[in-house]
């Protein structure tokens, strides 16, 4: 068996080198990402290191005769002289080992033939460079790798409802996967909603945007309640918004007084409750609020998250805030991220409903009433 190590910035390029050098019967033995140092050790780059092999038989000789080593590849020491094969029947244990090795080599050949390589974050059968390009486009937009593979596999069929337009079909399927429930006041049912979340995600500004929409655009009777007595000037900030919009506001210093505030505004169409932000690593700072919300089934719980947050942090935040049983998500700062597709990924992963989006600081303009199509647009924009 002859083995070679290939280093390349992309897997498809490495595959082409392997097939050119070793033929279609080549095997992928391992693949990993490495950090390659440059001059003086500065500005290292990430590359793929792939170990490939081919049987030292006549098939290999004809496939690779006259071929030169590809750029970025290296012979493994001692790989030019194949080991002497055991004679079948001379040693039962050796014969069993050879058969097992042949099974593994056959499976690896199939892997190479289908263009599928193990990758961190999930496998995916990509037979062409175009498939890799689609995959990389989806993940670059912020879509989870596993979800990207699912969409590609689900739309890999000839009887597409959208003809040859693969992006449109993936867009349609992604839209079907998410749940959207915009904040609205239903007939004969007052809306009471509390916004929770970590620090700095824009809860107070989002409260003001919702109040402006419901009061000025939909002509609803709106009231605001402020639970944020932690930040200096927080109550003043909400009071200014309330004065501009023309709605009443009450600041509650103790959680037990929140019952009274909700009772005071019981005739209002909508009561929106603002809260202080606390780290998801320190939920004890919320005190008895989780128990309060378990008792008040009439209060909708909305978890506010920033769209420019790293995926792993988003997942940890959502998991930590499960103590509040927040079934609805609000994503802010869409204008501050280059990977808005992470919003769609979190909605699909958690099954939670999206209640609104924001994409700027302007109270009367930068509130988006979401739809499934809008969410799909974040990851797969259609021209």
């Amino acid at each position: 068996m002859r083995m070679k190590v290939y280093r390349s910035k992309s897997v498809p390029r490495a595959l082409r080198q392997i097939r050119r050098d070793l033929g279609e019967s080549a095997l992928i033995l391992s693949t990993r990402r490495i950090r390659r140092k440059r001059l003086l050790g500065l500005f290292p780059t990430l590359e793929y290191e792939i170990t490939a092999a081919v049987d030292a038989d006549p098939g290999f000789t004809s496939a690779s005769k006259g071929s030169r080593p590809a750029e970025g590849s290296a012979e493994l020491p001692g790989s030019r002289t194949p080991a002497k094969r055991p004679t079948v029947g001379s040693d039962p244990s050796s014969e069993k080992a050879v058969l097992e090795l042949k099974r593994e080599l056959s499976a690896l050949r199939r892997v190479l033939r289908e263009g599928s390589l193990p990758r961190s974050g999930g496998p995916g059968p990509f037979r062409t460079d175009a498939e890799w390009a689609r995959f990389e486009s989806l993940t670059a937009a912020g879509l989870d790798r596993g979800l990207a593979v699912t969409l590609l596999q689900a739309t890999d069929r000839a009887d597409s409802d959208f003809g040859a337009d693969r992006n449109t079909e993936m867009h349609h399927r992604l839209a079907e996967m998410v749940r959207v429930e915009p904040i609205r006041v239903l007939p004969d049912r007052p809306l009471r909603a509390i916004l929770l979340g970590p620090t700095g995600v824009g809860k107070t500004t989002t409260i003001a945007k919702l109040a402006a929409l419901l009061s000025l655009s939909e002509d609803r009777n709106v009231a605001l309640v402020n639970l944020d007595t932690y930040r200096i000037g927080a109550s003043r900030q909400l009071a200014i918004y309330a004065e501009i919009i023309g709605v009443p506001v009450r600041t509650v210093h103790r959680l037990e007084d929140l019952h009274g505030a909700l009772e005071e505004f019981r005739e209002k169409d909508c009561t929106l409750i603002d809260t202080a932000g606390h780290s998801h690593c320190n939920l004890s700072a919320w005190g008895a609020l989780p128990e309060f919300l378990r008792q008040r089934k009439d209060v909708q719980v909305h978890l506010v998250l920033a769209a420019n947050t790293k995926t792993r942090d988003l997942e940890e935040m959502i998991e930590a805030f499960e103590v509040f049983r927040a079934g609805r998500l609000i994503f802010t700062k869409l204008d501050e991220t280059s990977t808005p597709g992470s919003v769609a990924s979190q909605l699909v992963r958690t099954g939670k409903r999206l209640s609104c989006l924001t994409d700027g600081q302007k109270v009367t303009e930068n509130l988006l009433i979401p739809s499934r199509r809008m969410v799909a647009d974040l990851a797969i924009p259609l021209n």
Side-chain angles (χ1 to χ4, degrees), residues 2-6 18 22 26-29 50-54:
R2 184 184 181 187
M3 292 182 288
K4 298 180 77 173
V5 176
Y6 291 77
I18 292 170
L22 305 182
L27 315 170
I28 299 298
L29 301 182
I50 300 175
T51 303
V54 69

Side-chain angles (χ1 to χ4, degrees), residues 209-220 222 245 363-365 367 369:
K209 292 176 180 179
L210 289 170
L213 171 70
L214 296 171
S215 176
L216 303 179
S217 300
E218 300 186 9
D219 197 26
R220 299 290 186 177
V222 179
I245 300 169
V363 170
T364 57
E365 298 179 17
L367 180 73
I369 304 302

Side-chain angles (χ1 to χ4, degrees), residues 156-174:
D156 184 19
R157 56 191 180 88
D159 58 336
S160 169
D161 296 332
F162 301 95
D165 193 345
R166 184 79 171 275
N167 280 347
T168 300
E169 185 174 359
M170 289 193 296
H171 182 281
H172 177 74
R173 288 186 176 272
L174 180 58

Side-chain angles (χ1 to χ4, degrees), residues 309-334:
T309 307
K310 291 187 298 184
T311 298
R312 182 170 181 178
D313 291 334
L314 281 176
E315 294 174 355
E316 291 181 355
M317 289 174 182
I318 294 173
E319 182 179 355
F321 278 91
E322 280 297 311
V323 67
F324 294 98
R325 300 182 182 179
R328 299 168 175 83
L329 300 179
I330 294 175
F331 281 93
T332 63
K333 304 187 179 183
L334 278 177

